[in-house]
Amino acid sequence: HVQLVESGGGSAQAAGSLRLSCAASGYLYPSYCVGWFRQAPGNEREGIASIYLEGGGTYYTDSVKGRFTISIDNAKRTVYLEMNNLKPDDTAMYYCAADRGVDHYDCYTGGWLNRRKQRSSWGQGTQVTVS
């Protein structure tokens, strides 16, 4: 089971951009589904984007569709979240997570994101603040 470390958060102006990184401790096999999640104070954790490594199929929740892009550089064992046109509502702690052996359809239709967000195992996250 790989360990993941998030980085790249910070402060940005509305309409600005940030790129988050999720570095894996080991190789991400083709059957991995990797996702980005966020949680603002007082809110439930929200799954916002996922990518299935074999084929690269992606899923985005409506709130970030067209603004955020998830991608992977497996040579660097890193998954990125490019965030453009940021809004104050994007302010949150951002986390990444990955599971191996996920059904590809479940990964890029949002099903895995909805189940994974309920679990209690998370890294330290990276804070994004948009003003």
Side-chain angles (χ1 to χ4, degrees), residues 14 16 52-55 59-61 65 67 70 79 89 94 100-101 104 120:
Y52 192 72
L53 268 59
E54 184 175 11
Y59 170 86
Y60 300 93
T61 194
K65 196 175 298 182
R67 301 188 298 121
I70 187 170
V79 176
D89 284 349
Y94 284 71
R100 187 178 178 182
H104 68 285
S120 59

Side-chain angles (χ1 to χ4, degrees), residues 54-130:
E54 184 175 11
T58 57
Y59 170 86
Y60 300 93
T61 194
D62 286 345
S63 60
V64 306
K65 196 175 298 182
R67 301 188 298 121
F68 291 10
T69 302
I70 187 170
S71 63
I72 181 169
D73 183 339
N74 215 350
K76 296 182 180 179
R77 300 174 178 174
T78 301
V79 176
Y80 301 100
L81 185 69
E82 186 75 35
M83 306 187 296
N84 298 314
N85 191 20
L86 284 163
K87 304 176 180 180
D89 284 349
D90 295 320
T91 296
M93 186 70 80
Y94 284 71
Y95 304 87
C96 62
D99 280 333
R100 187 178 178 182
V102 177
D103 176 79
H104 68 285
Y105 184 80
D106 199 32
C107 183
Y108 53 72
T109 58
W112 174 80
L113 275 177
N114 284 330
R115 291 196 308 278
R116 181 60 180 86
K117 71 179 182 181
Q118 307 292 342
R119 286 156 54 180
S120 59
S121 176
W122 299 96
Q124 85 285 356
T126 187
Q127 176 68 39
V128 171
T129 302
V130 183

